[in-house]
Amino acid sequence: MSTATSLVSYEDALEKYDPVMGLEVHVELGTATKMFCGCTTALGGDANAQTCPVCLGLPGALPVVNAKGVEGAVRIGLALNCEIAEWCRFARKNYFYPDMPKNFQTSQYDEPIAFNGHLDVEVDGEVFRVEIERAHMEEDTGKSTHVGGATGRIQGADHSLIDYNRAGIPLIEIVTKPIVGAGARAPQVAKAYVAELRELIKALGVSEARMEMGQMRCDVNLSLRPHGREKFGTRSETKNVNSLRSVERAARSEIQRQATVLDDGGSIVQETRHFHEDTGSTTSGRIKEEAEDYRYFPEPDLVPVAPAREWVEELRAELPELPRVRRKRLQQEWGVGDHEMQSALNAGAIDLITATIDAGAPADQARKWWMGELARHANESGTELDGLAITPVQVARVSALVAEGSLNDKLARQVIEGVLAGEGGPDEVVEKRGLKVVSDEGALTAAVDDAIASNAAVAEKIRGGNMGAVGALIGGVMKATRGQADAKRVREIILEKLGVG
Amino acid sequence: MPGITREEVAHLARLSRLELSEKELDHFATQLDDIVGAVARVGEVAAEDVPPTSHPLPLTNVMRADEVRPSLTPEQALAAAPAVEEQRFRVPQILGED
């Protein structure tokens, strides 16, 4: 590693600088139709089969606001403790880029529908309040494919192909106020905030908020300032950070990169940066345009939105139990600590564990499988827990098979592996792989006899009352039966044979 | 009066991807100045009690139900596209090399 470019360590960066973050999250609403026209929002449609004169920006076409989209925005605003505008407008954000056929994105500018809220998140059992600047309504853009040039990148591409099926899908952009005072925990706060927001959006039922499908995307704005300085440093904006893990990594990587530049006597350029999932680092994108370059102006084709106070209060009264409150309740029911609960949240496991319990598994078992074996699998394959090919009902079934003694933990793990590999449900995998605990008395007794015979010294210790030595004999039997013996029964037989217990 | 400068016209032209000659820049700077000046006269009659207006009709909350309407077929959608490839709108290079 060359000395000039060697990266400042995270600890050293935090020693000198104080990170300030701003997080922008875009959520695609799960409405049936687009924000300003009746085209379907269904995923996976044929290219350009879900467009109309409005979302193609054809001359003379007039948009009409989707009532469900406005309702979703107000509900999100209320759940984030925001004030809801009594009157607000849409605005045109003009830019010259072909992902919007209109040459502008219909958005909101200085009159967002929701503003001044907050969301409390927990990091290491401590509550951290993230202040919300605003939540506004806008529309998604079309999808570009870049042809020619290196690896599908826009830079150096020969030309691009555009599918406008996504153009016009309702988006809510949620912007935090500058997050200060998080210090070394800034990356964790960022991750916890996005995790909490995702739970909130899902609880409201306004979106499935699946990050891997782009239904929820995060931009991480970050700057550093020397400790004790009031004024914020110049920020970079890392775009489209699309998993919880990446949110944390992107923040961490930017802290180290900026500290390195500053330590070197350089200055930070205000720019857009791209996050790379494979290396966990960011690279420079375009220099950020100034806000006024978008030439925002009120959208003349849409009339103002003025949510009636009675309606807003009705929506407020109908808000579901909020995720943090629900988690407190579940935590009580599951009998676990703050840390375990936070881990389950960060892993996106709360709903899965709840569904597994609803399917009949005891709380500790449901939690154990999702947070242990399954979390490991998700981590290895780089997916989210709910992206694994196993359902809560199947996990509950595995748990039931263990409880009734048909499987031990080791076999249960193999069953889970089989289910994940697409070999069928738990019972089918047990059948196909022949994974049954050996509880046949004859076979077990024979194996125990063998173990005692070849470990005479150990057997003698047990006869003498040293119960700690039993494990060694059980281990021998398990090995002989390739892990398929019922360990509890083996222990009983050993003790019977040796005349103790 | 605002006073639209030549530099502002050049900046706007760049944002709009319009290529203007030196002569046109001068021409539009004067012309836009006149236009903006004319429109600004509205501000002289608008008193404190007149709220800013962006729409001529006194309407709010014009919305539609979230019900799917038929879309165009891809053929119809692409009919007026200057270039089509793989059932998509083909557009010229967006950015050059880094």
PDB file of all heavy atoms in Angstrom, chain B residues 1 4-6 24 29 39 41 47 54 56-57 60 62 88 92:
ATOM      1  N   MET B   1     -35.920  46.630 -11.248  1.00  0.00           N
ATOM      2  CA  MET B   1     -36.072  45.692 -12.374  1.00  0.00           C
ATOM      3  C   MET B   1     -34.974  44.631 -12.328  1.00  0.00           C
ATOM      4  O   MET B   1     -33.850  44.921 -11.938  1.00  0.00           O
ATOM      5  CB  MET B   1     -36.026  46.475 -13.695  1.00  0.00           C
ATOM      6  CG  MET B   1     -37.357  47.124 -14.064  1.00  0.00           C
ATOM      7  SD  MET B   1     -38.655  45.909 -14.392  1.00  0.00           S
ATOM      8  CE  MET B   1     -39.684  46.075 -12.933  1.00  0.00           C
ATOM      9  N   ILE B   4     -31.758  40.744 -16.685  1.00  0.00           N
ATOM     10  CA  ILE B   4     -31.266  39.424 -17.067  1.00  0.00           C
ATOM     11  C   ILE B   4     -29.937  39.614 -17.804  1.00  0.00           C
ATOM     12  O   ILE B   4     -29.870  40.345 -18.801  1.00  0.00           O
ATOM     13  CB  ILE B   4     -32.258  38.712 -18.011  1.00  0.00           C
ATOM     14  CG1 ILE B   4     -33.633  38.554 -17.344  1.00  0.00           C
ATOM     15  CG2 ILE B   4     -31.706  37.354 -18.458  1.00  0.00           C
ATOM     16  CD1 ILE B   4     -33.726  37.485 -16.307  1.00  0.00           C
ATOM     17  N   THR B   5     -28.917  38.954 -17.285  1.00  0.00           N
ATOM     18  CA  THR B   5     -27.609  39.136 -17.922  1.00  0.00           C
ATOM     19  C   THR B   5     -27.392  38.112 -19.023  1.00  0.00           C
ATOM     20  O   THR B   5     -28.077  37.083 -19.083  1.00  0.00           O
ATOM     21  CB  THR B   5     -26.478  38.982 -16.891  1.00  0.00           C
ATOM     22  OG1 THR B   5     -26.494  37.622 -16.435  1.00  0.00           O
ATOM     23  CG2 THR B   5     -26.667  39.912 -15.705  1.00  0.00           C
ATOM     24  N   ARG B   6     -26.432  38.415 -19.836  1.00  0.00           N
ATOM     25  CA  ARG B   6     -26.022  37.544 -20.915  1.00  0.00           C
ATOM     26  C   ARG B   6     -25.545  36.199 -20.345  1.00  0.00           C
ATOM     27  O   ARG B   6     -25.826  35.136 -20.895  1.00  0.00           O
ATOM     28  CB  ARG B   6     -24.869  38.233 -21.624  1.00  0.00           C
ATOM     29  CG  ARG B   6     -24.686  37.872 -23.029  1.00  0.00           C
ATOM     30  CD  ARG B   6     -23.676  38.843 -23.640  1.00  0.00           C
ATOM     31  NE  ARG B   6     -23.370  38.430 -24.984  1.00  0.00           N
ATOM     32  CZ  ARG B   6     -22.563  37.421 -25.265  1.00  0.00           C
ATOM     33  NH1 ARG B   6     -21.950  36.778 -24.316  1.00  0.00           N
ATOM     34  NH2 ARG B   6     -22.367  37.069 -26.522  1.00  0.00           N
ATOM     35  N   GLU B  24     -27.524  35.660 -30.617  1.00  0.00           N
ATOM     36  CA  GLU B  24     -28.777  35.242 -29.966  1.00  0.00           C
ATOM     37  C   GLU B  24     -28.735  35.497 -28.456  1.00  0.00           C
ATOM     38  O   GLU B  24     -29.736  35.849 -27.845  1.00  0.00           O
ATOM     39  CB  GLU B  24     -29.039  33.758 -30.246  1.00  0.00           C
ATOM     40  CG  GLU B  24     -29.567  33.502 -31.645  1.00  0.00           C
ATOM     41  CD  GLU B  24     -29.612  32.013 -31.990  1.00  0.00           C
ATOM     42  OE1 GLU B  24     -28.637  31.297 -31.650  1.00  0.00           O
ATOM     43  OE2 GLU B  24     -30.596  31.581 -32.582  1.00  0.00           O
ATOM     44  N   ALA B  29     -31.222  38.014 -24.089  1.00  0.00           N
ATOM     45  CA  ALA B  29     -31.024  38.681 -22.793  1.00  0.00           C
ATOM     46  C   ALA B  29     -31.925  39.912 -22.727  1.00  0.00           C
ATOM     47  O   ALA B  29     -32.650  40.134 -21.750  1.00  0.00           O
ATOM     48  CB  ALA B  29     -29.567  39.066 -22.607  1.00  0.00           C
ATOM     49  N   VAL B  39     -43.983  40.789 -16.635  1.00  0.00           N
ATOM     50  CA  VAL B  39     -44.674  39.895 -15.696  1.00  0.00           C
ATOM     51  C   VAL B  39     -44.546  40.431 -14.264  1.00  0.00           C
ATOM     52  O   VAL B  39     -45.474  40.327 -13.461  1.00  0.00           O
ATOM     53  CB  VAL B  39     -44.108  38.457 -15.802  1.00  0.00           C
ATOM     54  CG1 VAL B  39     -44.733  37.560 -14.747  1.00  0.00           C
ATOM     55  CG2 VAL B  39     -44.352  37.897 -17.199  1.00  0.00           C
ATOM     56  N   ARG B  41     -44.853  43.207 -13.196  1.00  0.00           N
ATOM     57  CA  ARG B  41     -45.846  44.235 -12.859  1.00  0.00           C
ATOM     58  C   ARG B  41     -47.002  43.667 -12.054  1.00  0.00           C
ATOM     59  O   ARG B  41     -47.685  44.396 -11.343  1.00  0.00           O
ATOM     60  CB  ARG B  41     -46.364  44.901 -14.143  1.00  0.00           C
ATOM     61  CG  ARG B  41     -45.328  45.868 -14.729  1.00  0.00           C
ATOM     62  CD  ARG B  41     -45.680  46.269 -16.140  1.00  0.00           C
ATOM     63  NE  ARG B  41     -46.994  46.899 -16.218  1.00  0.00           N
ATOM     64  CZ  ARG B  41     -47.698  46.992 -17.344  1.00  0.00           C
ATOM     65  NH1 ARG B  41     -47.226  46.472 -18.458  1.00  0.00           N
ATOM     66  NH2 ARG B  41     -48.885  47.578 -17.338  1.00  0.00           N
ATOM     67  N   ALA B  47     -51.524  42.813  -3.494  1.00  0.00           N
ATOM     68  CA  ALA B  47     -51.356  43.337  -2.142  1.00  0.00           C
ATOM     69  C   ALA B  47     -51.088  42.180  -1.178  1.00  0.00           C
ATOM     70  O   ALA B  47     -51.098  41.017  -1.567  1.00  0.00           O
ATOM     71  CB  ALA B  47     -52.591  44.123  -1.735  1.00  0.00           C
ATOM     72  N   SER B  54     -50.852  29.674  -8.441  1.00  0.00           N
ATOM     73  CA  SER B  54     -50.177  28.965  -9.521  1.00  0.00           C
ATOM     74  C   SER B  54     -51.182  28.359 -10.480  1.00  0.00           C
ATOM     75  O   SER B  54     -50.830  27.702 -11.436  1.00  0.00           O
ATOM     76  CB  SER B  54     -49.270  27.879  -8.961  1.00  0.00           C
ATOM     77  OG  SER B  54     -50.033  26.955  -8.232  1.00  0.00           O
ATOM     78  N   PRO B  56     -55.259  29.002 -12.306  1.00  0.00           N
ATOM     79  CA  PRO B  56     -56.350  29.976 -12.457  1.00  0.00           C
ATOM     80  C   PRO B  56     -57.655  29.563 -11.788  1.00  0.00           C
ATOM     81  O   PRO B  56     -58.513  30.408 -11.523  1.00  0.00           O
ATOM     82  CB  PRO B  56     -56.527  30.060 -13.976  1.00  0.00           C
ATOM     83  CG  PRO B  56     -55.978  28.779 -14.505  1.00  0.00           C
ATOM     84  CD  PRO B  56     -54.885  28.382 -13.566  1.00  0.00           C
ATOM     85  N   LEU B  57     -57.815  28.256 -11.513  1.00  0.00           N
ATOM     86  CA  LEU B  57     -59.092  27.808 -10.941  1.00  0.00           C
ATOM     87  C   LEU B  57     -58.989  27.654  -9.428  1.00  0.00           C
ATOM     88  O   LEU B  57     -57.987  27.159  -8.925  1.00  0.00           O
ATOM     89  CB  LEU B  57     -59.504  26.467 -11.561  1.00  0.00           C
ATOM     90  CG  LEU B  57     -59.636  26.459 -13.086  1.00  0.00           C
ATOM     91  CD1 LEU B  57     -59.931  25.055 -13.579  1.00  0.00           C
ATOM     92  CD2 LEU B  57     -60.728  27.422 -13.532  1.00  0.00           C
ATOM     93  N   THR B  60     -58.973  22.693  -5.133  1.00  0.00           N
ATOM     94  CA  THR B  60     -57.951  21.897  -4.446  1.00  0.00           C
ATOM     95  C   THR B  60     -58.412  20.447  -4.449  1.00  0.00           C
ATOM     96  O   THR B  60     -59.584  20.161  -4.704  1.00  0.00           O
ATOM     97  CB  THR B  60     -57.757  22.308  -2.960  1.00  0.00           C
ATOM     98  OG1 THR B  60     -59.023  22.209  -2.305  1.00  0.00           O
ATOM     99  CG2 THR B  60     -57.201  23.718  -2.835  1.00  0.00           C
ATOM    100  N   VAL B  62     -58.106  17.725  -6.326  1.00  0.00           N
ATOM    101  CA  VAL B  62     -58.681  17.000  -7.459  1.00  0.00           C
ATOM    102  C   VAL B  62     -57.895  15.686  -7.574  1.00  0.00           C
ATOM    103  O   VAL B  62     -56.718  15.695  -7.889  1.00  0.00           O
ATOM    104  CB  VAL B  62     -58.574  17.809  -8.773  1.00  0.00           C
ATOM    105  CG1 VAL B  62     -59.108  16.992  -9.941  1.00  0.00           C
ATOM    106  CG2 VAL B  62     -59.330  19.126  -8.628  1.00  0.00           C
ATOM    107  N   ARG B  88     -37.396  -0.776 -26.372  1.00  0.00           N
ATOM    108  CA  ARG B  88     -37.104   0.342 -25.484  1.00  0.00           C
ATOM    109  C   ARG B  88     -36.786   1.586 -26.304  1.00  0.00           C
ATOM    110  O   ARG B  88     -36.404   1.477 -27.468  1.00  0.00           O
ATOM    111  CB  ARG B  88     -35.930  -0.008 -24.568  1.00  0.00           C
ATOM    112  CG  ARG B  88     -36.299  -1.029 -23.506  1.00  0.00           C
ATOM    113  CD  ARG B  88     -35.062  -1.670 -22.909  1.00  0.00           C
ATOM    114  NE  ARG B  88     -35.397  -2.537 -21.786  1.00  0.00           N
ATOM    115  CZ  ARG B  88     -35.780  -3.806 -21.894  1.00  0.00           C
ATOM    116  NH1 ARG B  88     -35.921  -4.368 -23.085  1.00  0.00           N
ATOM    117  NH2 ARG B  88     -36.043  -4.523 -20.816  1.00  0.00           N
ATOM    118  N   PRO B  92     -29.453   8.792 -27.335  1.00  0.00           N
ATOM    119  CA  PRO B  92     -28.016   8.968 -27.567  1.00  0.00           C
ATOM    120  C   PRO B  92     -27.247   8.919 -26.247  1.00  0.00           C
ATOM    121  O   PRO B  92     -27.825   9.063 -25.172  1.00  0.00           O
ATOM    122  CB  PRO B  92     -27.910  10.369 -28.185  1.00  0.00           C
ATOM    123  CG  PRO B  92     -29.297  10.787 -28.523  1.00  0.00           C
ATOM    124  CD  PRO B  92     -30.221   9.984 -27.676  1.00  0.00           C
TER     125      PRO B  92
END
